Amino acid sequence: MSLEQIPLNFVDGSSWACVREIVGFDEQSVNGTGILSAIRLLDRLLVNAPGTTVGPGYAVNLTSADRDRLLTAIYIQIYGSRVESTVNCENCKKPFDIDFSLEQLLDSFNSGEVSAIQIEKKQGGLFKLPNGCCFRLPKGEDECAVLGMTPEDAEKELLKRCVLKGDPTGEKESLQDIMQELAPLVDLNMDAHCPECNEHQLIHFDIQHFLLSSLKQEQRQLAYEVHRLAGAYGWSLNEILELPRSIRRTYVNLVESELGL
Ligand SMILES: [Zn+2]
């Protein structure tokens, strides 16, 4: 089974994680689009390899940015780098298509000056602002701890957990903006242009939601593929669900081309 090595640039630039290709059991296990579903999927796909910083069962310890980076790599591995989607214009309400490259989006993150400096690299790193305030980046375990809180309370609690010394207020930028520059989330508003009425608008894109909902929507297709392969080869359900997705699809195409579909 193919393994992919993914750099986790937002921790210290030298760490990496290894994920295996998705199989039917993983696709079938996706039952939501929230953080818990994302962590569960990563824990299934992460592979222990010498030198990796995170193995299966520890996805909750990843910084939110590294988690998004892994989810982006998994999306690219399954569907390719191009994201094509249809959105409804806020102004004229007509649908229009958006199309962008996830690889280019990730590249666009690696730029700009950041006012915070890294003072420790271990476990997601420790950063210092010019005013002496020390903070760390939020991790999955922090986000899980604020689940169910109002957005205002969750933001306060996240800051309380991540600011270790001093006060982050009074800097030119908010701590959230500084964190986004240091360790960008693939959860952002993108400028889009409606070709019907010429209106510009912001489109929200969140890789976690996009990947998990794409997999969830395909569960019916997965059942169809199992049905085709079981009928053609007599393989058991477990055998088919253990096949890497790309291999399963190759066999389904072979069966369909023989049937003239
Ligand atoms: Zn429009």
Side-chain angles (χ1 to χ4, degrees), residues 89 91-93 194 196-199 201:
C89 174
N91 184 44
C92 70
K93 312 293 179 213
C194 170
E196 296 285 339
C197 70
N198 263 335
E199 193 72 20
Q201 53 213 281

Side-chain angles (χ1 to χ4, degrees), residues 148-165:
M149 290 186 186
T150 63
E152 297 77 30
D153 286 350
E155 200 179 304
K156 268 189 225 155
E157 180 61 24
L158 275 178
L159 279 181
K160 209 165 96 186
R161 294 172 72 98
C162 293
V163 174
L164 306 177
K165 198 179 107 187

Side-chain angles (χ1 to χ4, degrees), residues 9 17 41-42 65 67 83 103 112 136 151 187 203 209 235 252 257:
N9 284 345
L41 180 67
L42 283 175
R67 192 180 66 244
V83 170
E103 274 160 4
R136 63 175 176 81
D187 179 359
I203 304 291
H209 184 269
W235 293 338
V252 171
S257 65

